[in-house]
């Protein structure tokens, strides 16, 4: 009986140690690092940007250790599903289509989409005036879906990229006639840079929930509501305690959270 008791105690001890080890594992956050001002690399190779600072603030609020895992945007959901990462914090818009594969937290910001072309293009309605033109989008993004379902049937030639930076380079090189992306990313990461000189926004903003969802959220594996709720509580808390505004004001002169 004593041996059985000792055996049981040992088993419980092993289980307890395993649980502690599991708790000690860092939370792996997936990100695509070519989407300024939300995500980018500093000259010394470190991750930076609004997404990174918000992620770090959330981890501090939750009192968990987090590590960032870089991945091309269209590989983030597959990496989450095979457990290479635990969550995606990479300006991923909450959409019904993505909800088939992942669960989302509440939003942590919301901005509309816009087109960019060369200054003086004369384009007022890109949806009807870009027939035969080449339009670049980030592969697997909401902008990709919108362009695929709305622009391609209207006769535009869609070019998909693994990162927004690649699209920007092709725009400058004259291999694209237009780009469709998040308005803040295009403004801060392209138009306000030396490379973006001579380019400008054209047409209106686009925020149809059917395509552009309900803002950017953090994606977790299907059924991982415990982690989603931890993030939700942390998002709510950093918005209440001033941390969110402090991060926001570092990058933007307006309310990035949206309505």
């Amino acid at each position: 009986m004593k041996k059985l008791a000792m055996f049981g105690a040992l088993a419980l001890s092993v289980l307890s140690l395993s649980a502690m080890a599991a708790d000690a594992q860092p939370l792996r956050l997936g990100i695509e690092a070519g989407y300024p001002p939300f995500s980018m690399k500093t000259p010394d190779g470190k991750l930076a940007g609004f997404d990174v600072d918000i992620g770090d603030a959330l981890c501090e609020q939750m009192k968990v250790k987090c590590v960032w895992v870089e991945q091309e945007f269209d590989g983030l959901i597959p990496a989450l599903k095979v457990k290479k990462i635990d969550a995606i914090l990479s300006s991923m818009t909450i959409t019904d289509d993505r909800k088939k594969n992942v669960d989302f937290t509440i939003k942590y910001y919301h901005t509309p989409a816009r087109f960019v072309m060369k200054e003086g293009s004369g384009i007022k309605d890109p949806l009807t005036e870009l027939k035969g033109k080449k339009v670049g989008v980030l592969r697997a993004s909401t902008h990709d879906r919108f362009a695929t379902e709305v622009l391609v049937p209207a006769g535009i030639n869609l070019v998909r990229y693994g990162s927004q930076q690649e699209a920007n380079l092709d725009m400058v090189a004259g291999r694209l006639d237009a780009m469709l992306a998040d308005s803040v990313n295009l403004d801060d990461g392209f138009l306000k840079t030396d490379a973006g000189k001579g380019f400008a926004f054209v047409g209106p903003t686009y925020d149809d929930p059917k395509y552009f969802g309900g803002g950017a959220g953090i994606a977790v594996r299907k059924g991982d509501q415990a982690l989603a709720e931890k993030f939700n509580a942390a998002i709510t808390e950093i918005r209440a305690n001033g941390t969110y505004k402090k991060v926001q004001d570092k990058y933007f002169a307006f309310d990035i959270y949206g309505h």
Side-chain angles (χ1 to χ4, degrees):
M1 287 294 290
K2 284 184 178 179
K3 285 184 179 179
L4 282 172
M6 287 174 63
F7 206 64
L10 184 61
L12 283 171
S13 177
V14 169
L15 283 171
S16 179
L17 287 170
S18 297
M20 287 172 64
D23 288 343
Q25 291 296 317
L27 197 63
R28 298 163 300 171
L29 305 178
I31 192 168
E32 191 272 306
Y35 202 64
F38 300 100
S39 59
M40 53 207 164
K41 288 287 195 68
T42 61
D44 59 355
K46 292 181 180 177
L47 283 169
F50 177 77
D51 281 348
V52 176
D53 287 355
I54 286 293
D56 289 344
L58 292 173
C59 291
E60 186 175 342
Q61 182 64 41
M62 295 188 294
K63 295 180 170 53
V64 295
K65 181 182 178 182
C66 294
V67 294
W68 291 97
V69 180
E70 288 183 64
Q71 181 85 44
E72 281 202 347
F73 191 81
D74 61 345
L76 285 168
I77 288 179
L80 180 65
K81 293 175 83 170
V82 298
K83 300 186 178 181
K84 287 185 178 178
I85 54 177
D86 303 303
I88 299 168
L89 206 166
S90 191
S91 291
M92 184 168 280
T93 306
I94 304 164
T95 65
D96 288 338
D97 194 49
R98 286 187 177 133
K99 284 179 182 177
K100 296 173 186 174
N101 294 292
V102 299
D103 286 338
F104 279 101
T105 63
I106 56 176
K107 72 172 183 179
Y108 66 96
Y109 81 84
H110 194 182
T111 52
R114 290 198 76 178
F115 284 91
V116 156
M117 295 184 73
K118 281 189 175 178
E119 282 182 331
S121 67
I123 297 290
K124 288 185 170 53
D125 183 6
L127 300 190
T128 61
E129 298 178 64
L130 288 177
K131 186 175 181 179
K133 303 291 187 183
K134 288 184 178 178
V135 176
V137 295
L138 177 64
R139 188 185 304 117
S141 66
T142 52
H143 311 99
D144 183 355
R145 183 178 171 226
F146 175 76
T148 299
E149 295 187 16
V150 177
L151 299 182
V152 171
I156 71 102
N157 298 312
L158 190 60
V159 185
R160 298 176 176 89
Y161 293 89
S163 75
Q164 188 61 42
Q165 296 293 75
E166 291 173 44
N168 295 350
L169 290 171
D170 270 9
M171 190 76 198
V172 173
R175 289 187 281 268
L176 289 174
D177 299 296
M179 294 189 295
L180 175 67
D182 179 86
S183 55
V184 175
N185 170 252
L186 285 175
D187 188 38
D188 197 275
F190 183 62
L191 295 179
K192 288 180 179 175
T193 69
D194 289 340
K197 288 178 180 176
F199 295 90
F201 284 125
V202 297
T205 59
Y206 300 90
D207 59 2
D208 183 348
K210 176 182 176 183
Y211 296 104
F212 301 107
I218 302 166
V220 299
R221 272 186 291 279
K222 268 286 183 188
D224 195 354
Q225 279 304 302
L227 182 56
E229 288 305 322
K230 283 182 182 178
F231 274 121
N232 287 344
I235 291 168
T236 301
E237 187 58 36
I238 67 168
R239 280 191 46 78
N241 66 21
T243 302
Y244 184 95
K245 189 176 187 306
K246 185 177 178 182
V247 173
Q248 169 189 278
D249 292 351
K250 180 178 173 182
Y251 298 95
F252 313 108
F254 58 93
D255 180 12
I256 193 75
Y257 190 76
H259 300 298

